[in-house]
Amino acid sequence: MPSDVAVGSGGSVWFLQFRANRIGRFKDGQFSDVEAGPENAGLSGIAVAPNDDVWFGMMRRASLGRLRNGHIEIFALPRDNARPFSIAVDRDGNVWYADISGFVGMLPARHAVAR
């Protein structure tokens, strides 16, 4: 069940597969996907950063996820009951999210650096 769509600078179309817990990509007429983890994290919201990292919410894990070069890294949010629903990335690389409980938060770019 595809949901949430974002387009990267190179023309890749990224989308969430909510029930399958996967992040899909369509480029050059081909589909591919990556598993977001062993448990269903409740993927919601997707955005492509200026550096082409793909960001998404994980409502059941109170976290944000980042897909970079085929690998996923998880960033826990400071609120235990956080449920990030929609995602946006600004030109400085800060990741903004709207929480389904009525909260707007931001993961500063300096906390989302490569490890």
Side-chain angles (χ1 to χ4, degrees), residues 5-112:
V5 176
V7 179
S9 64
S12 290
V13 177
W14 295 93
F15 57 95
L16 299 178
Q17 298 176 58
F18 181 78
R19 289 193 177 140
N21 201 48
R22 300 180 80 79
I23 299 151
R25 175 181 160 188
F26 181 75
K27 182 164 180 162
D28 299 326
Q30 299 291 317
F31 285 96
S32 60
D33 61 12
V34 176
E35 185 176 40
E39 77 283 345
N40 188 338
L43 304 182
S44 185
I46 189 167
V48 181
N51 67 355
D52 281 330
D53 285 354
V54 177
W55 287 90
F56 53 94
M58 303 176 90
M59 290 194 302
R60 294 184 186 132
R61 291 194 64 184
S63 301
L64 297 177
R66 179 185 66 203
L67 174 61
R68 176 188 282 169
N69 299 323
H71 295 45
I72 292 179
E73 187 165 357
I74 308 301
F75 296 82
L77 295 173
R79 296 176 56 224
D80 289 337
N81 59 348
R83 296 188 67 206
F85 185 72
S86 62
I87 308 292
V89 182
D90 66 27
R91 66 175 164 243
D92 295 326
N94 299 308
V95 183
W96 293 87
Y97 62 95
D99 192 293
I100 202 165
S101 67
F103 177 83
V104 174
M106 189 255 295
L107 175 67
R110 69 181 179 276
H111 295 296

